[in-house]
């Protein structure tokens, strides 16, 4: 019995010498695997597209209850709710997000072609408008600084959501092709052109001749839905009335513009809502004023008749008369 227990104990014991021996026997394999993963991580860090985060803060003003003591009563009943929850729903509503989509034309997405794998890395360091020279004789790819600003784009329903191709030419000329390679139209910067049911006007085009762009127009509802998911609105703290907004995008300027337009649209609709509510209340008062004045006149006539019939005297008037007599 004792021998079996000792044998089981020996089987559970880790032999460190044997373990180190195994590691030394396979040291080159371990070094190779570690090096491969290190190189892959380094390449991903260098080649991955950086994502920028824009932030904004909105302060929500607490509304004063219409009846004195109403706040204490609702708190005692446990029926209070943070007003920020309602305002967050308004900020991320279709009305506010849709205004930002319309102002920035986010339903039209443009992207220059990049050299596979290393194209994004090679195109960094160029500001918009500062074009990078073509490399390796590949004129169809963008090498940094390309700008394509489309002012107007009307597509038939069959082309919505599909990837179109825009090819640049000399002196602001361009051609637009559908997803099957069929040419839809040709035009120049600033001109409103039509072709095969497509209407297009390019506001700005900065690119080397021959550069290709991917152009996609989504439906407004699709774009709004995606933006509602990407924009995160959370209350900072408990019942603080401060809402923080965050939005991530590969373009830092666009990320800032999106939040700026969202907050501006939210403030504008909030002011318009309060103004409409105040105007409605004022109109109600104006409508009720003639009726109240008529009721007051009737009440005064009834009081005068009652005083005449009962020969009663207004004490305030009688006191005033006595004082006048004493002064005289």
């Amino acid at each position: 019995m004792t021998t079996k227990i000792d044998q089981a104990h020996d089987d559970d014991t880790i032999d460190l010498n044997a373990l180190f021996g195994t590691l030394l026997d396979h040291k080159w394999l371990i070094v190779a695997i570690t090096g491969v993963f290190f190189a892959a991580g380094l390449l991903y860090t260098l080649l991955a597209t950086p994502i920028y985060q824009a932030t904004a803060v909105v302060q929500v003003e607490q509304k004063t209850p219409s009846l004195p003591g109403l706040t204490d009563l609702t708190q005692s009943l446990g029926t209070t709710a943070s007003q920020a929850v309602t305002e967050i729903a308004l900020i991320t509503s279709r009305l506010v997000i849709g205004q930002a989509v319309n102002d920035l034309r986010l339903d039209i997405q443009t992207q220059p072609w990049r050299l596979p794998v290393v194209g994004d890395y090679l195109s960094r360091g160029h500001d918009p408008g500062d074009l990078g020279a073509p490399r390796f004789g590949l004129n169809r790819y963008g090498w940094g600084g390309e700008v394509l600003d489309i002012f107007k784009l009307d597509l038939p329903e069959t082309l919505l959501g599909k990837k179109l191709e825009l090819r640049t030419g000399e002196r602001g000329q361009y051609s637009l092709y559908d997803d099957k390679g069929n040419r839809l139209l040709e035009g120049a910067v600033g001109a409103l052109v039509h072709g095969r049911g497509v209407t297009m006007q390019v506001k700005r085009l900065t690119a080397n001749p021959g550069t290709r762009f991917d152009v996609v127009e989504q439906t407004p509802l699709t774009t709004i839905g995606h933006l509602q998911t990407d924009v995160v609105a959370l209350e900072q703290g408990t019942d603080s009335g401060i809402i923080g907004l965050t939005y991530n995008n590969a373009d830092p300027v666009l990320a800032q513009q999106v939040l700026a337009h969202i907050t501006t649209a939210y403030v504008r609709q909030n002011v318009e809502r309060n103004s409409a509510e105040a105007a409605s209340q004022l109109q109600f008062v104006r409508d009720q004023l003639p009726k109240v004045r008529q009721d007051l006149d009737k009440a005064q006539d009834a009081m005068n008749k009652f005083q005449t019939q009962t020969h009663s005297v207004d004490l305030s008037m009688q006191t005033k008369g006595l004082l006048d007599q004493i002064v005289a």
Side-chain angles (χ1 to χ4, degrees), residues 62 65 69-83 85-86 239:
Q62 299 294 333
L70 181 60
T71 302
D72 297 335
L73 179 60
T74 53
Q75 289 180 352
S76 62
L77 295 177
T79 58
T80 57
S82 176
Q83 187 176 348
V85 176
T86 303
D239 295 334

Side-chain angles (χ1 to χ4, degrees), residues 108-111 113 148 150 153-156 158-167 175-182 184-185 198-200 212-217:
I108 302 176
Q109 303 170 5
T110 61
Q111 180 64 36
W113 285 18
L148 175 57
I150 299 178
L153 180 61
D154 293 333
L155 299 177
T158 55
L159 295 179
L160 289 176
K162 294 185 178 180
K163 185 180 295 185
L164 308 181
E165 179 184 330
L166 186 141
R167 302 177 184 177
S175 302
L176 185 67
Y177 296 81
D178 62 9
D179 57 329
K180 297 180 181 179
N182 300 318
L184 299 175
L185 53 81
V198 178
T199 301
M200 187 174 185
R212 312 291 177 89
F213 287 83
D214 288 332
V215 179
V216 179
E217 183 181 12

Side-chain angles (χ1 to χ4, degrees), residues 276-325:
E277 183 178 355
S280 177
Q281 294 177 353
L282 181 60
Q283 185 62 36
F284 176 78
V285 172
R286 289 177 177 175
D287 295 339
Q288 295 296 322
L289 186 59
K291 181 179 178 181
V292 173
R293 183 173 298 171
Q294 183 179 2
D295 295 339
L296 178 61
D297 293 338
K298 291 181 180 179
Q300 289 180 348
D301 293 340
M303 185 181 66
N304 293 334
K305 291 180 181 179
F306 175 76
Q307 290 179 348
T308 302
Q309 294 176 358
T310 58
H311 303 285
S312 61
V313 180
D314 190 353
L315 294 179
S316 60
M317 295 299 295
Q318 183 178 6
T319 303
K320 183 177 182 301
L322 293 175
L323 291 175
D324 291 340
Q325 292 178 5

Side-chain angles (χ1 to χ4, degrees), residues 13-35:
T13 303
I14 299 176
D15 190 352
L16 296 180
N17 292 328
L19 180 60
F20 282 117
T22 303
L23 293 177
L24 290 176
D25 293 339
H26 300 84
K27 59 183 178 181
W28 296 116
L29 178 61
I30 296 174
V31 171
I33 295 175
T34 304

Side-chain angles (χ1 to χ4, degrees), residues 80-237:
T80 57
S82 176
Q83 187 176 348
V85 176
T86 303
E87 299 303 322
I88 288 175
L90 291 176
I91 292 176
T92 57
S93 64
R94 185 182 301 177
L95 176 63
V96 176
I97 298 294
Q99 187 65 42
V101 170
N102 292 332
D103 293 342
L104 298 174
R105 294 309 311 268
L106 298 179
D107 54 336
I108 302 176
Q109 303 170 5
T110 61
Q111 180 64 36
W113 285 18
R114 299 296 186 198
L115 187 67
V117 183
V118 296
D120 290 334
Y121 175 75
L122 296 177
S123 62
R124 295 177 190 172
H126 295 273
D127 295 329
D130 180 20
L131 291 177
R135 303 182 184 183
F136 316 116
L138 300 175
N139 296 330
R140 66 174 57 190
Y141 297 110
W143 300 97
E146 293 81 14
V147 178
L148 175 57
D149 187 0
I150 299 178
F151 178 75
K152 183 180 180 62
L153 180 61
D154 293 333
L155 299 177
E157 294 184 358
T158 55
L159 295 179
L160 289 176
K162 294 185 178 180
K163 185 180 295 185
L164 308 181
E165 179 184 330
L166 186 141
R167 302 177 184 177
T168 61
E170 299 286 346
R171 300 179 181 178
Q173 300 289 327
Y174 64 87
S175 302
L176 185 67
Y177 296 81
D178 62 9
D179 57 329
K180 297 180 181 179
N182 300 318
R183 187 169 59 187
L184 299 175
L185 53 81
E186 293 182 350
V189 175
L192 184 65
V193 293
H194 308 273
R196 295 192 176 184
V198 178
T199 301
M200 187 174 185
Q201 184 177 11
V202 176
K203 181 178 180 181
R204 181 185 177 188
L205 176 59
T206 303
N208 295 313
T211 304
R212 312 291 177 89
F213 287 83
D214 288 332
V215 179
V216 179
E217 183 181 12
Q218 301 285 355
T219 61
L221 291 180
T222 301
T223 307
I224 293 173
H226 291 165
L227 196 57
Q228 285 177 323
T229 303
D230 295 338
V231 175
V232 179
L234 296 174
E235 185 178 8
Q236 306 297 312

